[in-house]
């Protein structure tokens, strides 16, 4: 046997051995440890294992936590690192399984997940009644070499009253599958199919293209590359729309992303999204091709009608103890303004942006960001091309607003994390669910903050006691609203709060 052949076989054996040990699930965004992990990352004491990408891969997060120098940490933080590692570290190799269960009690003034949801959108959402809720679930994780299988069905009576949830609500309880996917991962890539909440962009704020704004939906994902250069793709079929004649219109969403992470603290992500819609539309392979640029395909294939293309950029770095970040979405930017009021060249620009930073101040972490979404962002003259699923945005769930937020994080004791928040929200009367203005109305259509602008000041604090077996989480705040309901001069003060107690248990074992 030739020496080169022997070397190739040895390399394949090494990669195969690494893959056999490398199967890993994701750590869900709702996992009890995630707020503490984000606090440590913001403080600068924990290296972010996946900048601009959430959720964390469990294996990568364990490696990052194990590398933390715990000497300068406060005792409460050292204990948190130990407990998170103990909960996430897999002690045995070979086929492996784990069952996670939870039961919980909660109470809230509103059933919505976002405490600012009632202060956004047109028309304003109607407030609900304060209620108590019961929840419970059972999750299963199975690892077979490089393959991970995860399912996490649960019930939660809150879902019955949440207008953002479109499942069955006419029974005593309501439920869904929080995560249900199969993931095969290797040294240079992965293949994913199933449902899971994702966020593309700085984790301090919802992504402009892919975010957990809608409840998780089934999608196919693929990634190829290394930690320094990685190409990713995501595609899914959306709910059908209907045209003016009542004929069903098929809709698909395709997103591509190139992540560049050279040696050092800087990470850049270039991405695009394409919303495809048409009466007999199918998911064309040239859009699914992750090496293609959808914006070029739109013109090259001559099927631009029925396609809404978006381009974007995310970036994060670290300067000393400060971690600045930013995002930019270009939906429709008009360059040529010639031709008069009926030419269409005077269309208001559609865009989104985020600028912010994180850092540490003694034992505390801080996060500050400003984000804006223009009036006509996420919609076109064809309603079927709106970037949404079942009425909820795939990136942001609201448009025509800006938000300035300042948060802090303090580890106040074993498992205790306090997060005070101050937010200023300005919400115009634009919304991507509204019809697109006709060409003749472009000159009179505001590009940002249309109509009477509602202003909300939120002063709140989130307090959580998180332990592997149980957690107690409370969030409360005051919303001081001016031009309430977009009525000039109207003022209102609204109190928003929630509290939840959860007990968790798990069992893991090597599989026969």
């Amino acid at each position: 046997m030739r020496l080169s052949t022997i070397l190739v076989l040895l390399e394949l054996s090494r990669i195969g051995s690494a893959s056999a040990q490398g199967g890993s699930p994701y750590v869900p965004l709702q996992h009890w440890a995630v707020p503490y992990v984000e606090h440590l990352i913001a403080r600068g004491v924990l290296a972010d294992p996946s900048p601009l990408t959430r959720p964390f891969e469990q294996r990568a997060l364990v490696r990052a936590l194990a590398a933390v120098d715990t000497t300068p940490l406060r005792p409460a933080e050292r204990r948190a690192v130990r407990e998170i590692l103990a909960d996430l570290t897999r002690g045995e190799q070979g086929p492996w399984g784990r069952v996670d269960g939870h039961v919980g009690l909660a109470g809230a003034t509103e059933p919505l997940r976002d405490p600012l949801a009632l202060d956004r959108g047109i028309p304003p959402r109607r407030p609900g009644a304060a209620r108590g809720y019961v929840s419970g679930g059972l999750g299963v994780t199975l690892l077979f070499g490089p393959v991970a299988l995860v399912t996490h069905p649960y019930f939660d009576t809150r879902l019955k009253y949440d207008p953002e949830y479109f499942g069955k609500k006419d029974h005593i309880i309501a439920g869904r599958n929080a995560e249900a996917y199969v993931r095969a991962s290797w040294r240079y890539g992965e293949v994913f199919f199933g449902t899971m909440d994702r966020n593309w962009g700085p984790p301090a704020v919802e992504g402009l293209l892919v975010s957990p704004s809608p409840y998780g939906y089934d999608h196919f994902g693929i990634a190829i590359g290394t930690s320094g250069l990685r190409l990713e793709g995501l595609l899914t079929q959306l709910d059908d729309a209907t045209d003016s004649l009542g004929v069903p219109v098929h809709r698909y969403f395709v997103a591509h992303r190139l992540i560049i992470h050279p040696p050092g603290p800087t990470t850049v992500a270039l991405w695009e999204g394409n919303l495809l819609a048409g009466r007999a539309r199918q998911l064309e392979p040239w859009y699914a091709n992750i090496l293609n640029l959808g914006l070029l395909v739109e013109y090259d294939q001559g099927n631009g009608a029925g396609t809404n293309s978006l381009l974007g950029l995310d970036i994060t770095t670290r300067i000393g103890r400060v971690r600045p970040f930013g995002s930019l979405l270009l939906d429709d930017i008009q360059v040529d303004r010639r031709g008069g009021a009926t030419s269409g060249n005077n269309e208001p620009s559609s865009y989104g942006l985020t600028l912010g930073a994180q850092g540490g101040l003694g034992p505390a972490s801080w996060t500050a960001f400003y984000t804006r979404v223009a009036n006509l962002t996420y919609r076109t003259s064809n309603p079927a091309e709106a970037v949404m699923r079942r009425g909820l945005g795939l990136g942001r769930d609201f448009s025509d607003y800006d938000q300035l937020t300042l948060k802090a994080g303090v580890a106040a004791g074993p498992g205790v994390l306090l997060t005070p928040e101050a937010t200023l929200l300005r919400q115009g009367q634009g919304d991507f669910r509204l019809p697109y203005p006709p060409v003749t109305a472009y000159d009179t259509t505001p590009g940002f903050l249309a109509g009477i602008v509602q202003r909300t000041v939120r002063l709140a604090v989130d307090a959580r006691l998180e332990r592997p077996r149980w957690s107690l989480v409370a969030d409360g705040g005051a919303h001081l609203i001016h031009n309430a309901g977009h009525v000039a001069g109207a003022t209102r003060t609204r109190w928003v709060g929630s509290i939840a107690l959860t007990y968790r248990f798990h069992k893991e074992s090597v599989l026969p």
Side-chain angles (χ1 to χ4, degrees), residues 123-141:
R125 301 189 179 189
R126 299 179 62 183
R131 288 186 173 91
Y133 308 110
V134 180
S135 63
L138 199 64
V140 177
T141 301

Side-chain angles (χ1 to χ4, degrees), residues 163-244:
E164 296 178 347
Y165 175 66
F166 287 89
K168 195 171 181 61
K169 299 182 178 183
D170 57 353
H171 288 177
I172 297 176
I173 60 175
R176 56 183 294 270
N177 217 325
E179 297 91 34
Y181 62 84
V182 55
R183 177 187 188 235
S185 56
W186 297 273
R187 183 177 181 182
Y188 296 118
E190 72 168 274
V191 177
F192 174 100
F193 179 73
T195 179
M196 178 185 70
D197 288 342
R198 292 183 184 267
N199 196 75
W200 284 9
V205 61
E206 291 178 329
L208 289 164
L209 181 69
V210 176
S211 85
S213 277
Y215 283 99
Y217 48 87
D218 284 289
H219 59 277
F220 175 80
I222 187 171
I224 301 172
T226 67
S227 59
L229 186 67
R230 187 176 178 90
L231 191 61
E232 299 181 341
L234 179 155
L235 61 88
T236 189
Q237 182 172 356
L238 303 175
D239 53 314
D240 285 352
T242 54
D243 62 16
S244 57

Side-chain angles (χ1 to χ4, degrees), residues 103-406:
V103 291
L105 299 172
T109 57
E110 297 291 340
L112 293 161
R113 295 172 294 168
D114 179 3
L116 281 166
L118 284 177
D119 304 313
R120 309 182 195 257
I122 301 298
R125 301 189 179 189
R126 299 179 62 183
R131 288 186 173 91
Y133 308 110
V134 180
S135 63
L138 199 64
V140 177
T141 301
L142 302 175
L143 297 183
F144 301 99
V147 179
L149 289 84
V150 176
T151 183
H152 179 201
Y154 75 99
F155 71 89
D156 189 345
T157 56
R158 182 193 62 82
L159 294 172
K160 294 179 55 178
Y161 308 99
D162 186 351
E164 296 178 347
Y165 175 66
F166 287 89
K168 195 171 181 61
K169 299 182 178 183
D170 57 353
H171 288 177
I172 297 176
I173 60 175
R176 56 183 294 270
N177 217 325
E179 297 91 34
Y181 62 84
V182 55
R183 177 187 188 235
S185 56
W186 297 273
R187 183 177 181 182
Y188 296 118
E190 72 168 274
V191 177
F192 174 100
F193 179 73
T195 179
M196 178 185 70
D197 288 342
R198 292 183 184 267
N199 196 75
W200 284 9
V205 61
E206 291 178 329
L208 289 164
L209 181 69
V210 176
S211 85
S213 277
Y215 283 99
Y217 48 87
D218 284 289
H219 59 277
F220 175 80
I222 187 171
I224 301 172
T226 67
S227 59
L229 186 67
R230 187 176 178 90
L231 191 61
E232 299 181 341
L234 179 155
L235 61 88
T236 189
Q237 182 172 356
L238 303 175
D239 53 314
D240 285 352
T242 54
D243 62 16
S244 57
L245 299 178
V247 178
V249 176
H250 302 319
R251 305 169 66 241
Y252 304 89
F253 176 62
V254 181
H256 301 153
R257 185 167 67 150
L258 174 63
I259 301 176
I260 305 170
H261 180 55
T266 302
T267 302
V268 178
L270 304 170
W271 48 262
E272 67 162 353
N274 296 279
L275 202 300
L276 317 176
R279 284 187 179 181
R281 192 79 185 244
Q282 300 297 320
L283 181 59
E284 296 94 344
W286 39 86
Y287 281 106
N289 183 354
I290 64 172
L291 295 176
N292 242 337
L293 184 62
L295 186 63
L296 297 180
V297 170
E298 179 180 340
Y299 297 103
D300 180 54
Q301 299 292 335
N303 59 353
T307 302
N308 181 12
S309 296
L310 307 94
L311 299 175
L313 163 74
D314 299 320
I315 185 170
T316 183
T317 189
R318 184 169 287 280
I319 303 174
R321 299 190 65 182
V322 177
R323 185 185 188 188
F325 56 81
S327 294
L328 177 64
L329 160 69
L330 300 180
D331 190 351
D332 194 350
I333 304 298
Q334 196 66 49
V335 177
D336 185 0
R337 294 287 182 177
R338 297 173 298 176
T342 60
S343 67
N345 292 336
N346 54 339
E347 181 180 4
S349 296
S350 303
Y351 62 91
L353 63 87
T354 296
L355 294 173
Q358 292 180 316
L361 187 62
S365 65
W366 58 267
T367 299
F369 66 84
Y370 172 79
T371 190
R372 169 189 289 198
V373 178
N375 179 12
L376 300 182
T377 305
Y378 300 131
R379 53 175 160 158
T380 71
S381 55
N382 180 1
E385 297 175 14
V387 186
M388 64 180 180
R389 175 182 179 270
R390 294 186 170 183
L392 297 178
L394 296 171
R396 301 289 175 82
D397 195 26
F398 303 94
S399 60
D400 197 29
Y401 81 96
D402 66 351
Q403 178 179 333
L404 178 65
T405 292
L406 175 62

